[in-house]
Amino acid sequence: MTNSLSIRLKPYLYVLPLVALLAFVFGYPLLRIFEFSFKLVRGVDGPWIGLRNYELILSQSLFWESVLHNIQLLLAIPAMVVISLLISILLFERIAGWRLYRVIVFVPFVLAIPIIAVVMKRMFQFSGPVNEVLRWASLDFLALDWIGSSDVALWTVMILIVWRESALGIILFLARLLSLDEAVLEAGRLDGANWWQRVWHIILPQMRGVIEFYVVVSVITMLASVFAYVYVMGGGRGGPGTATMVVEFYIFNALIRTSLPGIASAASVLLFLVSVLLIFPMFRARRRAREEEA
Amino acid sequence: MVPAAHSTHRRRFAFTAGDAVKQGVLIVASFIALVPTLYMIATALKSDAEYAVDKLGLPDAPVLENFRAVLIDSPFALWMLNSFILVAGSVLVSIVVSCLAAYAIARMEFRGRDTLLALSTSLMAVPPIVMIVPLFVLYTQLDLISTYQGAIIIYAGLITPFSVYLLTTFFRTVPNELFEAARIDGAGDFLILWQIVLPLSLPALLTLVVVNSLYVWNDLLIAIIFLQEDAKRTLMAGISVFQGRYNNQVPLTMAGMVIASAPMFILYIAFQKHFIRGLMAGAIK
C-alpha cells in the first residue's frame, strides 16, 4: 500500500522543482501583472483604480509612438527571410569553402547584442567609417546622420537587427535543408532543372514550415525582444528624442525611471496578450516544420 | 558510373558562370558578417590620434595601451567574473531541474504529464519583459535586487523551458531495453537517470550548456534591472554604461569590446562543432 503510493507520487517528486521554478519565474509574475494593472501601485502595492492605468497608457502619444516603432521593425522581416534563404541554400549546395563560410556567417549570432550595438554605433557615427566610405564612393547623399537624426535612427537599428537576426535564419534554414531528401534534389538536377527552378519548385515548397516558424519567431522578437538593441543604440533613452522608443522601453521607463509599476504592468499585460496571440501560430508552424522533417 | 560522369560534367560546365556568382555572394556575405569584428579589432589597436585621421585602414603602429587602460582603469575583470558566476549558477540550476523533470516526463506515467510539457514549452514564447515588473517589486521587498541568487533564479527560470523540451525529446530516444535491463538489476529511477541516461545524453547536455550560457552571458535586460549595484554589474550591463562614458575615445571603447567578446569568440572557434549543433538545436526551439 505505502509502496504503491510512493510509486504514484514519485513522478511528481521529479517534476516538483520544475513546477516550483516555473511558477515563480512565470506563473507568479503573469498573475500579478493583471492585478497590478488595475491598481495604483506605490512601492509594493496600492488601491484598486479600475481601468485608469489602461486609459492613461492608451491616451498617451508616447505609448502609441512606441507601438508604431515596434510595428515598423516588422519591415525588417522580409529582408531577413530573403537573405537567410539565399545564404543557407548556397551553403547547402556545398560550394567550395562552405564550411569556412558557415563558421563566418554564424558569427553575428555569437556576438552579444550590446557589444555589436556599441561597435555599429561607432561605425555609423556621422564622421565614422561608414560615411567615410560612402563619401569616398561619391555617395554623399547616403552619408546620413545615422545615429543622431530622429528620421534615420530607427532604420539604423533595423540594419543592425537584420544583420544579426539573419544569422539565426541561416542557422534555422540550414538545419532544415540538411534534412531534405537528396534523392529528390538529384532527380530535379537530372531532369535538367536550372538553379532557380530547383530552388523555386523543389527546395522552397519543402521549407514552408520552417520559413513560417522563423517569421513568427521574428515577429515576437520585433514586438517584444529588441530591448538590448535599442538600449545601446538609443543611448539608454530611446533617443534621439523618442525616435527609437519601443514598448519594452516604455515598460522599463515606467518601472525604473518613474517608479509606476501599475502603468508598467498594464503595458506588460497588453504585450503579453499580443504574444499569446502569436504563440498559437508559432506552435502550428513548428508542428508543420517538424512534420516536414519527418 | 553514369551519375559520377554527369556530376563532374555539370561542375566543369557550371563553374564558369553559376559558381562564380555563388562564390561572390558568399564572399560578400562573409565580409559583411565580419566587418564589425575587423573594425573593432583594428580600431582597438590604434591610438586616438591615429583613429582621428584614419578610421578605415589597418593600424600603422599597433598600440596595446587601450587594452591596458580598459583592464586596469575599469572594472572589466569584475564584470566578467559577475557574468561568469551568473552563467555557471543559472546553467547548473536549470540543468538539474530539467534533467529530473524531463526524465519523469519522458519515462513515467502520471496525470498532467502532457499538460505540463505543453505549458512549459509554450512559455518559451513569452517575452521576458512581461515578467519583469512583479519580480522587480517582489525583489525590492525581499532585498534581492543586486544579489547573485536573485538573478540566478530568474535566468534559470527563463532558460529551463527550452532545456526541458530538448531533454524530454532526447530521453525519449533512449532505447527501452536499457531501462528494462537496469531495472532487472535492481536499479532505482535515480540511479538509472544518473548512470545510464545522463552519460548517454552528454551531447544533448553539452548543446544545452552552449545555448544557455550564450543566452545568460549575452543578456542585457535582466542584468540591467536586477543587478543595479556597481559591484554586481554583468559584462553586458557594464559595457552599456561604459560606452556612454568614453563616447569620444573610440579606440578605447573598441578595446573594451574586443575583450568583452573574446570569451565567446574563443569558445566558438574552439568548440565550433558543438556551437553549430547547439545553435541549430536552439534555433528550432
Side-chain angles (χ1 to χ4, degrees), chain A residues 1 28 38 61 72 123 130-131 134 142 155 162 169-170 174-175 184 198-199 209 211 245 273 275 284:
Chain A
M1 182 63 203
Y28 169 79
F38 298 113
S61 63
Q72 188 187 324
M123 290 176 68
V130 169
N131 279 350
L134 289 171
L142 270 177
W155 296 97
V162 170
I170 297 171
L174 191 59
V184 180
R198 285 204 310 274
V199 168
I211 295 171
M245 191 77 186
L273 295 179
S275 66
R284 217 191 36 230

PDB file of all heavy atoms in Angstrom, chain A residues 1 28 38 61 72 123 130-131 134 142 155 162 169-170 174-175 184 198-199 209 211 245 273 275 284:
ATOM      1  N   MET A   1       0.837  -1.209   0.000  1.00  0.00           N
ATOM      2  CA  MET A   1       0.000   0.000   0.000  1.00  0.00           C
ATOM      3  C   MET A   1       0.868   1.253   0.000  1.00  0.00           C
ATOM      4  O   MET A   1       0.785   2.092  -0.884  1.00  0.00           O
ATOM      5  CB  MET A   1      -0.924  -0.028   1.236  1.00  0.00           C
ATOM      6  CG  MET A   1      -1.881   1.164   1.301  1.00  0.00           C
ATOM      7  SD  MET A   1      -3.027   1.178  -0.105  1.00  0.00           S
ATOM      8  CE  MET A   1      -3.482   2.884  -0.148  1.00  0.00           C
ATOM      9  N   TYR A  28       3.825  33.368 -11.150  1.00  0.00           N
ATOM     10  CA  TYR A  28       3.582  34.484 -10.240  1.00  0.00           C
ATOM     11  C   TYR A  28       3.539  35.831 -10.974  1.00  0.00           C
ATOM     12  O   TYR A  28       2.562  36.568 -10.852  1.00  0.00           O
ATOM     13  CB  TYR A  28       4.654  34.481  -9.134  1.00  0.00           C
ATOM     14  CG  TYR A  28       4.670  35.707  -8.282  1.00  0.00           C
ATOM     15  CD1 TYR A  28       3.749  35.883  -7.252  1.00  0.00           C
ATOM     16  CD2 TYR A  28       5.599  36.723  -8.496  1.00  0.00           C
ATOM     17  CE1 TYR A  28       3.755  37.030  -6.470  1.00  0.00           C
ATOM     18  CE2 TYR A  28       5.616  37.868  -7.729  1.00  0.00           C
ATOM     19  CZ  TYR A  28       4.698  38.022  -6.715  1.00  0.00           C
ATOM     20  OH  TYR A  28       4.694  39.164  -5.963  1.00  0.00           O
ATOM     21  N   PHE A  38      -4.571  46.926 -12.560  1.00  0.00           N
ATOM     22  CA  PHE A  38      -5.798  47.587 -12.111  1.00  0.00           C
ATOM     23  C   PHE A  38      -5.595  48.356 -10.810  1.00  0.00           C
ATOM     24  O   PHE A  38      -6.550  48.767 -10.168  1.00  0.00           O
ATOM     25  CB  PHE A  38      -6.920  46.559 -11.918  1.00  0.00           C
ATOM     26  CG  PHE A  38      -7.285  45.834 -13.177  1.00  0.00           C
ATOM     27  CD1 PHE A  38      -7.033  44.475 -13.307  1.00  0.00           C
ATOM     28  CD2 PHE A  38      -7.859  46.525 -14.246  1.00  0.00           C
ATOM     29  CE1 PHE A  38      -7.363  43.808 -14.478  1.00  0.00           C
ATOM     30  CE2 PHE A  38      -8.183  45.857 -15.413  1.00  0.00           C
ATOM     31  CZ  PHE A  38      -7.937  44.502 -15.534  1.00  0.00           C
ATOM     32  N   SER A  61       0.522  59.718 -26.247  1.00  0.00           N
ATOM     33  CA  SER A  61       1.057  59.592 -27.603  1.00  0.00           C
ATOM     34  C   SER A  61       2.391  58.842 -27.595  1.00  0.00           C
ATOM     35  O   SER A  61       2.735  58.156 -28.545  1.00  0.00           O
ATOM     36  CB  SER A  61       1.207  60.961 -28.247  1.00  0.00           C
ATOM     37  OG  SER A  61       2.139  61.719 -27.513  1.00  0.00           O
ATOM     38  N   GLN A  72       7.020  49.168 -37.116  1.00  0.00           N
ATOM     39  CA  GLN A  72       7.952  49.491 -38.207  1.00  0.00           C
ATOM     40  C   GLN A  72       9.087  48.467 -38.285  1.00  0.00           C
ATOM     41  O   GLN A  72       9.541  48.110 -39.373  1.00  0.00           O
ATOM     42  CB  GLN A  72       8.534  50.891 -38.009  1.00  0.00           C
ATOM     43  CG  GLN A  72       9.352  51.356 -39.215  1.00  0.00           C
ATOM     44  CD  GLN A  72      10.073  52.671 -38.963  1.00  0.00           C
ATOM     45  OE1 GLN A  72       9.539  53.551 -38.286  1.00  0.00           O
ATOM     46  NE2 GLN A  72      11.274  52.799 -39.490  1.00  0.00           N
ATOM     47  N   MET A 123      30.577  52.789 -35.896  1.00  0.00           N
ATOM     48  CA  MET A 123      30.755  52.706 -37.348  1.00  0.00           C
ATOM     49  C   MET A 123      29.823  53.669 -38.078  1.00  0.00           C
ATOM     50  O   MET A 123      30.167  54.225 -39.110  1.00  0.00           O
ATOM     51  CB  MET A 123      30.487  51.272 -37.834  1.00  0.00           C
ATOM     52  CG  MET A 123      31.540  50.278 -37.402  1.00  0.00           C
ATOM     53  SD  MET A 123      31.139  48.595 -37.903  1.00  0.00           S
ATOM     54  CE  MET A 123      31.306  48.719 -39.670  1.00  0.00           C
ATOM     55  N   VAL A 130      31.603  54.340 -41.907  1.00  0.00           N
ATOM     56  CA  VAL A 130      30.596  54.058 -42.929  1.00  0.00           C
ATOM     57  C   VAL A 130      30.402  55.269 -43.834  1.00  0.00           C
ATOM     58  O   VAL A 130      30.444  55.163 -45.067  1.00  0.00           O
ATOM     59  CB  VAL A 130      29.252  53.643 -42.284  1.00  0.00           C
ATOM     60  CG1 VAL A 130      28.140  53.620 -43.327  1.00  0.00           C
ATOM     61  CG2 VAL A 130      29.381  52.293 -41.607  1.00  0.00           C
ATOM     62  N   ASN A 131      30.219  56.419 -43.204  1.00  0.00           N
ATOM     63  CA  ASN A 131      30.047  57.629 -44.014  1.00  0.00           C
ATOM     64  C   ASN A 131      31.304  57.973 -44.799  1.00  0.00           C
ATOM     65  O   ASN A 131      31.226  58.504 -45.906  1.00  0.00           O
ATOM     66  CB  ASN A 131      29.642  58.810 -43.126  1.00  0.00           C
ATOM     67  CG  ASN A 131      28.154  58.779 -42.837  1.00  0.00           C
ATOM     68  OD1 ASN A 131      27.405  58.000 -43.437  1.00  0.00           O
ATOM     69  ND2 ASN A 131      27.715  59.636 -41.930  1.00  0.00           N
ATOM     70  N   LEU A 134      31.137  55.948 -47.859  1.00  0.00           N
ATOM     71  CA  LEU A 134      30.100  56.458 -48.756  1.00  0.00           C
ATOM     72  C   LEU A 134      30.556  57.714 -49.484  1.00  0.00           C
ATOM     73  O   LEU A 134      30.332  57.874 -50.682  1.00  0.00           O
ATOM     74  CB  LEU A 134      28.821  56.742 -47.966  1.00  0.00           C
ATOM     75  CG  LEU A 134      28.075  55.495 -47.477  1.00  0.00           C
ATOM     76  CD1 LEU A 134      26.965  55.874 -46.520  1.00  0.00           C
ATOM     77  CD2 LEU A 134      27.513  54.704 -48.658  1.00  0.00           C
ATOM     78  N   LEU A 142      24.006  59.612 -49.381  1.00  0.00           N
ATOM     79  CA  LEU A 142      23.703  58.496 -48.474  1.00  0.00           C
ATOM     80  C   LEU A 142      24.411  58.639 -47.132  1.00  0.00           C
ATOM     81  O   LEU A 142      24.151  57.888 -46.198  1.00  0.00           O
ATOM     82  CB  LEU A 142      24.114  57.171 -49.119  1.00  0.00           C
ATOM     83  CG  LEU A 142      23.045  56.467 -49.958  1.00  0.00           C
ATOM     84  CD1 LEU A 142      23.631  55.208 -50.572  1.00  0.00           C
ATOM     85  CD2 LEU A 142      21.822  56.164 -49.131  1.00  0.00           C
ATOM     86  N   TRP A 155      15.846  53.251 -38.483  1.00  0.00           N
ATOM     87  CA  TRP A 155      16.292  52.450 -39.640  1.00  0.00           C
ATOM     88  C   TRP A 155      17.682  51.881 -39.386  1.00  0.00           C
ATOM     89  O   TRP A 155      17.991  50.771 -39.805  1.00  0.00           O
ATOM     90  CB  TRP A 155      16.264  53.285 -40.921  1.00  0.00           C
ATOM     91  CG  TRP A 155      14.872  53.707 -41.272  1.00  0.00           C
ATOM     92  CD1 TRP A 155      14.293  54.917 -40.985  1.00  0.00           C
ATOM     93  CD2 TRP A 155      13.859  52.921 -41.917  1.00  0.00           C
ATOM     94  NE1 TRP A 155      12.989  54.932 -41.425  1.00  0.00           N
ATOM     95  CE2 TRP A 155      12.696  53.728 -42.006  1.00  0.00           C
ATOM     96  CE3 TRP A 155      13.828  51.630 -42.438  1.00  0.00           C
ATOM     97  CZ2 TRP A 155      11.509  53.274 -42.587  1.00  0.00           C
ATOM     98  CZ3 TRP A 155      12.648  51.175 -43.026  1.00  0.00           C
ATOM     99  CH2 TRP A 155      11.510  51.992 -43.096  1.00  0.00           C
ATOM    100  N   VAL A 162      18.668  43.316 -38.748  1.00  0.00           N
ATOM    101  CA  VAL A 162      18.744  42.429 -39.923  1.00  0.00           C
ATOM    102  C   VAL A 162      20.087  41.706 -39.939  1.00  0.00           C
ATOM    103  O   VAL A 162      20.162  40.498 -40.153  1.00  0.00           O
ATOM    104  CB  VAL A 162      18.550  43.228 -41.232  1.00  0.00           C
ATOM    105  CG1 VAL A 162      18.870  42.356 -42.438  1.00  0.00           C
ATOM    106  CG2 VAL A 162      17.139  43.770 -41.321  1.00  0.00           C
ATOM    107  N   GLY A 169      18.280  33.003 -38.950  1.00  0.00           N
ATOM    108  CA  GLY A 169      17.556  32.424 -40.076  1.00  0.00           C
ATOM    109  C   GLY A 169      18.418  31.431 -40.850  1.00  0.00           C
ATOM    110  O   GLY A 169      17.966  30.344 -41.213  1.00  0.00           O
ATOM    111  N   ILE A 170      19.677  31.813 -41.070  1.00  0.00           N
ATOM    112  CA  ILE A 170      20.580  30.926 -41.810  1.00  0.00           C
ATOM    113  C   ILE A 170      20.762  29.615 -41.047  1.00  0.00           C
ATOM    114  O   ILE A 170      20.686  28.520 -41.618  1.00  0.00           O
ATOM    115  CB  ILE A 170      21.951  31.613 -42.029  1.00  0.00           C
ATOM    116  CG1 ILE A 170      21.783  32.868 -42.886  1.00  0.00           C
ATOM    117  CG2 ILE A 170      22.935  30.650 -42.684  1.00  0.00           C
ATOM    118  CD1 ILE A 170      23.033  33.717 -42.979  1.00  0.00           C
ATOM    119  N   LEU A 174      19.388  26.226 -42.622  1.00  0.00           N
ATOM    120  CA  LEU A 174      20.400  25.233 -42.981  1.00  0.00           C
ATOM    121  C   LEU A 174      20.098  23.912 -42.277  1.00  0.00           C
ATOM    122  O   LEU A 174      20.235  22.832 -42.873  1.00  0.00           O
ATOM    123  CB  LEU A 174      21.787  25.753 -42.598  1.00  0.00           C
ATOM    124  CG  LEU A 174      22.956  24.932 -43.143  1.00  0.00           C
ATOM    125  CD1 LEU A 174      22.925  24.878 -44.655  1.00  0.00           C
ATOM    126  CD2 LEU A 174      24.290  25.510 -42.686  1.00  0.00           C
ATOM    127  N   ALA A 175      19.656  23.995 -41.009  1.00  0.00           N
ATOM    128  CA  ALA A 175      19.293  22.772 -40.287  1.00  0.00           C
ATOM    129  C   ALA A 175      18.194  22.027 -41.045  1.00  0.00           C
ATOM    130  O   ALA A 175      18.213  20.809 -41.167  1.00  0.00           O
ATOM    131  CB  ALA A 175      18.841  23.108 -38.865  1.00  0.00           C
ATOM    132  N   VAL A 184      15.420  13.565 -54.172  1.00  0.00           N
ATOM    133  CA  VAL A 184      14.511  14.424 -54.929  1.00  0.00           C
ATOM    134  C   VAL A 184      15.285  15.536 -55.635  1.00  0.00           C
ATOM    135  O   VAL A 184      15.030  15.869 -56.789  1.00  0.00           O
ATOM    136  CB  VAL A 184      13.445  15.033 -53.982  1.00  0.00           C
ATOM    137  CG1 VAL A 184      12.485  15.922 -54.748  1.00  0.00           C
ATOM    138  CG2 VAL A 184      12.699  13.929 -53.252  1.00  0.00           C
ATOM    139  N   ARG A 198      15.063  24.696 -59.501  1.00  0.00           N
ATOM    140  CA  ARG A 198      15.239  23.752 -58.379  1.00  0.00           C
ATOM    141  C   ARG A 198      14.873  24.426 -57.062  1.00  0.00           C
ATOM    142  O   ARG A 198      14.170  23.864 -56.240  1.00  0.00           O
ATOM    143  CB  ARG A 198      16.689  23.253 -58.327  1.00  0.00           C
ATOM    144  CG  ARG A 198      17.023  22.239 -59.400  1.00  0.00           C
ATOM    145  CD  ARG A 198      18.199  21.361 -58.979  1.00  0.00           C
ATOM    146  NE  ARG A 198      19.349  22.120 -58.505  1.00  0.00           N
ATOM    147  CZ  ARG A 198      20.300  22.608 -59.305  1.00  0.00           C
ATOM    148  NH1 ARG A 198      20.237  22.423 -60.602  1.00  0.00           N
ATOM    149  NH2 ARG A 198      21.316  23.265 -58.793  1.00  0.00           N
ATOM    150  N   VAL A 199      15.349  25.659 -56.861  1.00  0.00           N
ATOM    151  CA  VAL A 199      15.049  26.380 -55.615  1.00  0.00           C
ATOM    152  C   VAL A 199      13.549  26.612 -55.505  1.00  0.00           C
ATOM    153  O   VAL A 199      12.936  26.341 -54.469  1.00  0.00           O
ATOM    154  CB  VAL A 199      15.805  27.728 -55.574  1.00  0.00           C
ATOM    155  CG1 VAL A 199      15.281  28.597 -54.436  1.00  0.00           C
ATOM    156  CG2 VAL A 199      17.299  27.481 -55.410  1.00  0.00           C
ATOM    157  N   GLY A 209       7.218  25.251 -43.824  1.00  0.00           N
ATOM    158  CA  GLY A 209       7.021  25.204 -42.374  1.00  0.00           C
ATOM    159  C   GLY A 209       8.092  25.976 -41.620  1.00  0.00           C
ATOM    160  O   GLY A 209       7.784  26.783 -40.746  1.00  0.00           O
ATOM    161  N   ILE A 211      10.112  28.304 -42.726  1.00  0.00           N
ATOM    162  CA  ILE A 211      10.069  29.740 -43.016  1.00  0.00           C
ATOM    163  C   ILE A 211       8.975  30.398 -42.179  1.00  0.00           C
ATOM    164  O   ILE A 211       9.188  31.435 -41.541  1.00  0.00           O
ATOM    165  CB  ILE A 211       9.822  29.993 -44.520  1.00  0.00           C
ATOM    166  CG1 ILE A 211      11.009  29.486 -45.345  1.00  0.00           C
ATOM    167  CG2 ILE A 211       9.599  31.480 -44.787  1.00  0.00           C
ATOM    168  CD1 ILE A 211      10.787  29.497 -46.845  1.00  0.00           C
ATOM    169  N   MET A 245      12.169  54.746 -29.346  1.00  0.00           N
ATOM    170  CA  MET A 245      11.364  54.271 -28.223  1.00  0.00           C
ATOM    171  C   MET A 245      10.529  53.073 -28.668  1.00  0.00           C
ATOM    172  O   MET A 245       9.857  53.123 -29.692  1.00  0.00           O
ATOM    173  CB  MET A 245      10.448  55.430 -27.818  1.00  0.00           C
ATOM    174  CG  MET A 245       9.728  55.227 -26.542  1.00  0.00           C
ATOM    175  SD  MET A 245      10.852  55.509 -25.178  1.00  0.00           S
ATOM    176  CE  MET A 245       9.792  55.026 -23.848  1.00  0.00           C
ATOM    177  N   LEU A 273      -0.678  39.793 -24.011  1.00  0.00           N
ATOM    178  CA  LEU A 273      -1.811  39.329 -24.810  1.00  0.00           C
ATOM    179  C   LEU A 273      -1.421  39.192 -26.284  1.00  0.00           C
ATOM    180  O   LEU A 273      -1.822  38.239 -26.949  1.00  0.00           O
ATOM    181  CB  LEU A 273      -3.002  40.282 -24.648  1.00  0.00           C
ATOM    182  CG  LEU A 273      -3.583  40.310 -23.223  1.00  0.00           C
ATOM    183  CD1 LEU A 273      -4.742  41.299 -23.129  1.00  0.00           C
ATOM    184  CD2 LEU A 273      -4.031  38.919 -22.789  1.00  0.00           C
ATOM    185  N   SER A 275       1.579  38.519 -27.371  1.00  0.00           N
ATOM    186  CA  SER A 275       2.445  37.341 -27.538  1.00  0.00           C
ATOM    187  C   SER A 275       1.648  36.049 -27.422  1.00  0.00           C
ATOM    188  O   SER A 275       1.975  35.055 -28.069  1.00  0.00           O
ATOM    189  CB  SER A 275       3.626  37.379 -26.568  1.00  0.00           C
ATOM    190  OG  SER A 275       3.194  37.271 -25.244  1.00  0.00           O
ATOM    191  N   ARG A 284       1.778  25.991 -34.353  1.00  0.00           N
ATOM    192  CA  ARG A 284       1.330  25.374 -35.585  1.00  0.00           C
ATOM    193  C   ARG A 284       2.495  25.293 -36.571  1.00  0.00           C
ATOM    194  O   ARG A 284       2.732  24.255 -37.186  1.00  0.00           O
ATOM    195  CB  ARG A 284       0.169  26.183 -36.173  1.00  0.00           C
ATOM    196  CG  ARG A 284      -0.880  25.305 -36.804  1.00  0.00           C
ATOM    197  CD  ARG A 284      -1.886  26.100 -37.602  1.00  0.00           C
ATOM    198  NE  ARG A 284      -1.315  27.222 -38.277  1.00  0.00           N
ATOM    199  CZ  ARG A 284      -1.822  28.460 -38.204  1.00  0.00           C
ATOM    200  NH1 ARG A 284      -2.887  28.692 -37.488  1.00  0.00           N
ATOM    201  NH2 ARG A 284      -1.251  29.444 -38.868  1.00  0.00           N
TER     202      ARG A 284
END
